[in-house]
């Protein structure tokens, strides 16, 4: 069941607003631990709450650009590592209202709003994003900053990538309330 061991601080809503006008909202890559790929993957996007589209792409992560990403002599590109480098320098955006986060990976569009996570021919409304308040070294909550965990897969019956670990992609989302 999805709510087991979610943690008391997990935020349930998939929408945020820009917290201050002192800068943009930033979604900075923290880790990427899903399967190694040959080509780019993990299109990281944001979308206005009123949108019905997939969102505006900020960046993706390059694969190894090789024939076999699982070969022992391949590094996997920006896969399977902490602080993976995005393939563009754009990690921020300036929403004017409520916004959500979306991603394209493993052939699926995933959304922070569970109601938008419908697998083909199912009504799964899968929970793919989790948000926790970010804490500093002293354990104090960092205002308007969140740790984002993403678990790939819309339907664990048809897509074996769904395993409820929320560490396939991880981010720090800042200037978001």
């Amino acid at each position: 069941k999805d709510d087991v061991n979610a943690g008391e601080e997990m935020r349930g809503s998939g929408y945020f607003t820009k917290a201050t006008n002192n800068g943009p909202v930033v979604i900075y890559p923290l880790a990427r631990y899903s399967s190694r790929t040959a080509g780019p993957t993990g299109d990281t996007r944001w979308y206005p709450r009123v949108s019905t589209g997939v969102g505006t792409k900020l960046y993706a992560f390059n694969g190894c650009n090789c024939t076999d990403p699982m070969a022992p002599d391949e590094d996997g590109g920006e896969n399977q590592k902490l602080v993976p480098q995005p393939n563009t320098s754009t990690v921020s955006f300036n929403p004017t209202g409520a916004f959500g986060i979306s991603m394209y990976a493993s052939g699926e569009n995933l959304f922070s709003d569970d109601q938008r996570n419908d697998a083909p021919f199912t009504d799964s409304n899968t929970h793919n994003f989790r948000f926790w308040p970010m804490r500093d070294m002293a354990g104090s909550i960092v205002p308007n900053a969140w740790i984002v965990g993403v678990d790939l897969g819309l339907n664990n019956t048809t897509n074996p990538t769904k395993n409820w670990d929320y560490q396939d992609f991880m981010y720090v989302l800042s200037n978001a309330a």
Side-chain angles (χ1 to χ4, degrees):
K1 192 161 161 80
D2 190 43
D3 60 353
V4 175
N5 297 320
E8 293 179 11
E9 293 185 332
M10 186 192 77
R11 176 188 171 128
S13 174
Y15 290 104
F16 291 84
T17 56
K18 186 175 172 182
T20 70
N21 287 325
N22 295 335
V25 172
V26 176
I27 184 160
Y28 186 81
L30 187 59
R32 184 192 176 312
Y33 287 113
S34 60
S35 298
R36 293 168 63 174
T37 62
T41 189
D43 292 1
T44 302
R45 308 175 297 212
W46 74 277
Y47 63 95
R49 184 175 193 157
V50 297
S51 170
T52 58
V54 297
T56 302
K57 181 178 172 180
L58 298 170
Y59 54 82
F61 301 95
N62 288 331
C64 65
N65 196 24
C66 60
T67 304
D68 180 6
M70 302 309 282
D73 59 340
E74 294 295 345
D75 69 0
E78 296 304 312
N79 302 304
Q80 301 286 318
K81 62 177 15 178
L82 289 169
V83 193
Q85 296 302 301
N87 61 5
T88 70
S89 61
T90 305
V91 296
S92 63
F93 57 99
N94 281 294
T96 57
F99 67 89
I101 305 297
S102 68
M103 168 177 279
Y104 180 78
S106 296
E108 299 175 320
N109 288 305
L110 311 171
F111 298 90
S112 57
D113 178 353
D114 296 344
Q115 298 305 307
R116 295 191 66 187
N117 289 324
D118 288 330
F121 312 112
T122 69
D123 188 21
S124 65
N125 300 129
T126 307
H127 190 63
N128 294 94
F129 285 74
R130 285 191 171 162
F131 301 90
W132 295 273
M134 187 168 139
R135 293 183 174 271
D136 64 18
M137 294 290 285
S140 299
I141 290 177
V142 177
N144 305 314
W146 304 86
I147 301 295
V148 181
V150 181
D151 185 59
L152 298 179
L154 292 175
N155 185 325
N156 63 338
T157 303
T158 60
N159 187 342
T161 62
K162 190 70 178 166
N163 62 7
W164 312 101
D165 62 5
Y166 296 93
Q167 54 83 59
D168 294 329
F169 291 84
M170 297 193 77
Y171 302 91
V172 173
L173 176 66
S174 59
N175 197 21

